[in-house]
Amino acid sequence: REVGLELYYRMLRDTINNIQNKKQQLDKDWSPVINLGFSISIPKDYIKDLDVRLNIYRKISNIDNPEELKQMLENLEDRFGKIPSSFKNLFKIIEIKIIAKEVLVKKINYSKKGFVLEFKDDKMFNVDNLIKLVQRNPKTLKFLPSSKLFFKNPNINDKNVVEDLKKLLLIFKKN
Protein backbone atom coordinates (compact mmCIF):
# COMPACT_ATOMS: atom_id res chain seq x y z
CA ARG A 1 0.00 0.00 0.00
CA GLU A 2 2.66 2.54 0.98
CA VAL A 3 4.93 1.55 -1.91
CA GLY A 4 2.11 2.16 -4.41
CA LEU A 5 1.42 5.61 -3.01
CA GLU A 6 5.11 6.59 -3.19
CA LEU A 7 5.28 5.43 -6.82
CA TYR A 8 2.12 7.41 -7.59
CA TYR A 9 3.58 10.60 -6.09
CA ARG A 10 6.85 10.13 -8.00
CA MET A 11 4.96 9.64 -11.27
CA LEU A 12 2.80 12.69 -10.54
CA ARG A 13 5.88 14.81 -9.77
CA ASP A 14 7.60 13.64 -12.98
CA THR A 15 4.51 14.50 -15.05
CA ILE A 16 4.29 17.97 -13.52
CA ASN A 17 7.99 18.54 -14.22
CA ASN A 18 7.50 17.48 -17.85
CA ILE A 19 4.55 19.85 -18.28
CA GLN A 20 6.57 22.73 -16.86
CA ASN A 21 9.51 21.84 -19.14
CA LYS A 22 11.74 21.30 -16.16
CA LYS A 23 14.41 18.70 -15.83
CA GLN A 24 12.56 15.36 -15.52
CA GLN A 25 14.48 14.19 -12.48
CA LEU A 26 17.31 15.38 -10.34
CA ASP A 27 20.60 13.61 -11.13
CA LYS A 28 20.47 11.86 -7.80
CA ASP A 29 16.84 10.81 -8.23
CA TRP A 30 17.34 7.76 -10.45
CA SER A 31 17.96 4.12 -9.80
CA PRO A 32 19.75 1.51 -11.90
CA VAL A 33 17.70 -1.38 -13.26
CA ILE A 34 19.24 -4.72 -12.32
CA ASN A 35 18.05 -7.95 -13.98
CA LEU A 36 20.05 -10.92 -12.74
CA GLY A 37 17.47 -13.65 -13.22
CA PHE A 38 16.97 -14.91 -9.68
CA SER A 39 14.30 -14.54 -7.03
CA ILE A 40 14.42 -11.48 -4.78
CA SER A 41 11.75 -11.20 -2.12
CA ILE A 42 10.92 -11.32 1.55
CA PRO A 43 9.20 -14.70 1.95
CA LYS A 44 5.78 -14.56 3.59
CA ASP A 45 6.78 -17.31 5.98
CA TYR A 46 9.84 -15.30 7.10
CA ILE A 47 7.94 -12.09 7.91
CA LYS A 48 4.23 -12.85 8.09
CA ASP A 49 2.86 -9.32 8.62
CA LEU A 50 2.34 -7.57 5.25
CA ASP A 51 2.74 -4.07 6.72
CA VAL A 52 6.08 -5.02 8.28
CA ARG A 53 7.27 -6.53 4.96
CA LEU A 54 6.26 -3.40 3.02
CA ASN A 55 7.95 -1.18 5.58
CA ILE A 56 11.16 -3.23 5.29
CA TYR A 57 11.03 -3.04 1.47
CA ARG A 58 10.68 0.75 1.73
CA LYS A 59 13.56 1.04 4.20
CA ILE A 60 15.80 -1.15 2.04
CA SER A 61 14.99 0.87 -1.09
CA ASN A 62 16.07 4.08 0.67
CA ILE A 63 19.49 2.77 1.68
CA ASP A 64 22.29 4.41 -0.26
CA ASN A 65 25.49 2.99 1.19
CA PRO A 66 26.76 -0.59 1.67
CA GLU A 67 27.52 -0.16 5.39
CA GLU A 68 23.95 0.83 6.14
CA LEU A 69 22.78 -2.16 4.09
CA LYS A 70 25.02 -4.53 6.04
CA GLN A 71 23.74 -3.09 9.33
CA MET A 72 20.13 -3.59 8.28
CA LEU A 73 20.83 -7.20 7.28
CA GLU A 74 22.35 -7.86 10.73
CA ASN A 75 19.39 -6.20 12.47
CA LEU A 76 16.88 -8.26 10.50
CA GLU A 77 18.74 -11.47 11.29
CA ASP A 78 18.73 -10.57 14.99
CA ARG A 79 15.01 -9.77 14.88
CA PHE A 80 13.64 -12.53 12.60
CA GLY A 81 16.32 -15.24 12.52
CA LYS A 82 18.31 -16.74 9.65
CA ILE A 83 17.77 -14.82 6.43
CA PRO A 84 16.37 -16.90 3.51
CA SER A 85 18.38 -16.89 0.26
CA SER A 86 15.73 -15.01 -1.77
CA PHE A 87 15.89 -12.22 0.82
CA LYS A 88 19.71 -12.24 0.81
CA ASN A 89 19.48 -11.89 -2.98
CA LEU A 90 17.53 -8.67 -2.50
CA PHE A 91 20.40 -7.26 -0.42
CA LYS A 92 22.91 -8.31 -3.09
CA ILE A 93 20.87 -6.52 -5.75
CA ILE A 94 20.61 -3.36 -3.63
CA GLU A 95 24.38 -3.39 -3.04
CA ILE A 96 24.96 -3.76 -6.80
CA LYS A 97 22.51 -0.88 -7.38
CA ILE A 98 24.36 1.39 -4.94
CA ILE A 99 27.71 0.80 -6.63
CA ALA A 100 26.22 0.92 -10.16
CA LYS A 101 24.68 4.31 -9.44
CA GLU A 102 28.03 5.68 -8.25
CA VAL A 103 29.69 4.67 -11.54
CA LEU A 104 26.72 5.81 -13.70
CA VAL A 105 25.57 2.34 -14.80
CA LYS A 106 21.83 2.66 -15.39
CA LYS A 107 21.05 -0.93 -16.36
CA ILE A 108 22.57 -4.38 -15.88
CA ASN A 109 21.16 -7.42 -17.65
CA TYR A 110 22.28 -10.97 -17.01
CA SER A 111 22.57 -13.48 -19.82
CA LYS A 112 23.97 -16.99 -20.10
CA LYS A 113 27.23 -15.56 -21.42
CA GLY A 114 27.69 -12.67 -19.01
CA PHE A 115 26.39 -9.21 -18.18
CA VAL A 116 25.46 -6.24 -20.35
CA LEU A 117 25.99 -2.93 -18.58
CA GLU A 118 24.40 0.22 -19.96
CA PHE A 119 25.70 3.61 -18.90
CA LYS A 120 23.46 6.53 -17.93
CA ASP A 121 22.86 9.25 -20.52
CA ASP A 122 25.73 7.95 -22.67
CA LYS A 123 28.16 8.92 -19.89
CA MET A 124 30.79 6.48 -18.79
CA PHE A 125 32.56 6.84 -15.48
CA ASN A 126 36.27 7.65 -16.07
CA VAL A 127 36.12 6.89 -19.80
CA ASP A 128 39.90 6.81 -20.35
CA ASN A 129 40.44 4.33 -17.54
CA LEU A 130 37.51 2.24 -18.76
CA ILE A 131 39.00 2.09 -22.27
CA LYS A 132 42.34 0.98 -20.83
CA LEU A 133 40.58 -1.66 -18.71
CA VAL A 134 38.79 -3.05 -21.78
CA GLN A 135 42.05 -3.05 -23.77
CA ARG A 136 43.81 -4.98 -20.99
CA ASN A 137 40.96 -7.53 -20.74
CA PRO A 138 39.75 -8.18 -24.31
CA LYS A 139 38.55 -11.71 -23.48
CA THR A 140 36.20 -10.58 -20.72
CA LEU A 141 35.24 -6.98 -21.58
CA LYS A 142 33.89 -5.59 -24.84
CA PHE A 143 32.29 -2.28 -25.77
CA LEU A 144 28.88 -2.48 -27.44
CA PRO A 145 26.92 0.23 -29.29
CA SER A 146 24.79 2.74 -27.34
CA SER A 147 27.12 3.15 -24.34
CA LYS A 148 27.03 -0.48 -23.34
CA LEU A 149 29.69 -2.82 -22.07
CA PHE A 150 29.66 -6.62 -22.17
CA PHE A 151 31.30 -8.45 -19.26
CA LYS A 152 31.89 -12.09 -20.11
CA ASN A 153 31.99 -13.81 -16.79
CA PRO A 154 34.21 -16.91 -16.84
CA ASN A 155 32.37 -18.23 -13.75
CA ILE A 156 28.91 -17.89 -15.28
CA ASN A 157 27.69 -21.21 -13.87
CA ASP A 158 29.21 -20.45 -10.49
CA LYS A 159 27.26 -19.07 -7.53
CA ASN A 160 29.71 -16.15 -7.41
CA VAL A 161 28.46 -14.35 -10.54
CA VAL A 162 27.06 -11.51 -8.43
CA GLU A 163 30.37 -11.19 -6.56
CA ASP A 164 32.23 -11.03 -9.90
CA LEU A 165 29.86 -8.28 -11.08
CA LYS A 166 30.39 -6.41 -7.81
CA LYS A 167 34.19 -6.69 -8.20
CA LEU A 168 33.96 -5.27 -11.74
CA LEU A 169 31.86 -2.31 -10.56
CA LEU A 170 34.32 -1.67 -7.72
CA ILE A 171 37.16 -1.65 -10.28
CA PHE A 172 35.23 1.02 -12.24
CA LYS A 173 34.85 3.00 -9.03
CA LYS A 174 38.53 2.72 -8.15
CA ASN A 175 39.82 3.76 -11.59
Side-chain angles (χ1 to χ4, degrees):
R1 291 173 287 204
E2 296 173 36
V3 176
L5 189 60
E6 288 176 14
L7 178 62
Y8 170 77
Y9 281 128
R10 181 181 297 160
M11 289 171 60
L12 184 62
R13 184 181 65 230
D14 290 348
T15 303
I16 291 169
N17 286 343
N18 283 337
I19 290 170
Q20 295 176 343
N21 291 324
K22 291 185 177 178
K23 190 173 180 181
Q24 186 175 358
Q25 293 179 337
L26 299 172
D27 281 342
K28 66 177 187 167
D29 192 22
W30 66 279
S31 180
V33 175
I34 313 290
N35 300 314
L36 299 184
F38 52 75
S39 176
I40 53 168
S41 66
I42 303 173
K44 292 177 185 175
D45 58 343
Y46 182 66
I47 300 175
K48 292 173 180 36
D49 187 327
L50 176 63
D51 288 333
V52 173
R53 276 198 319 272
L54 288 174
N55 190 31
I56 290 171
Y57 277 124
R58 193 175 32 122
K59 284 180 180 178
I60 291 170
S61 71
N62 289 327
I63 293 174
D64 60 2
N65 74 61
E67 273 307 308
E68 204 176 322
L69 194 64
K70 183 180 175 185
Q71 183 65 43
M72 179 151 194
L73 188 62
E74 290 171 2
N75 290 343
L76 288 169
E77 192 161 17
D78 287 345
R79 183 174 171 192
F80 298 103
K82 187 174 189 262
I83 308 243
S85 61
S86 65
F87 194 18
K88 281 184 182 176
N89 289 342
L90 176 62
F91 280 87
K92 290 177 184 176
I93 296 291
I94 297 296
E95 185 176 19
I96 294 291
K97 274 188 170 194
I98 290 168
I99 301 166
K101 186 172 181 175
E102 291 174 2
V103 295
L104 302 178
V105 172
K106 78 173 183 181
K107 189 173 186 179
I108 300 173
N109 281 316
Y110 169 79
S111 75
K112 292 180 181 180
K113 294 181 181 180
F115 299 96
V116 176
L117 290 78
E118 185 175 342
F119 293 88
K120 185 179 184 308
D121 301 327
D122 298 328
K123 296 177 188 169
M124 293 184 181
F125 194 74
N126 295 327
V127 178
D128 294 334
N129 290 338
L130 187 57
I131 290 169
K132 289 175 188 171
L133 184 65
V134 170
Q135 289 172 341
R136 286 191 311 263
N137 300 284
K139 291 183 180 181
T140 55
L141 295 172
K142 179 182 175 185
F143 283 115
L144 300 173
S146 303
S147 297
K148 294 180 182 176
L149 178 73
F150 178 71
F151 169 45
K152 181 179 180 182
N153 189 343
N155 304 321
I156 205 66
N157 294 323
D158 192 293
K159 292 181 180 179
N160 295 326
V161 292
V162 175
E163 275 304 307
D164 292 342
L165 175 60
K166 180 180 161 185
K167 286 176 189 173
L168 177 67
L169 292 172
L170 289 172
I171 289 170
F172 291 172
K173 190 175 169 181
K174 219 184 302 183
N175 286 328

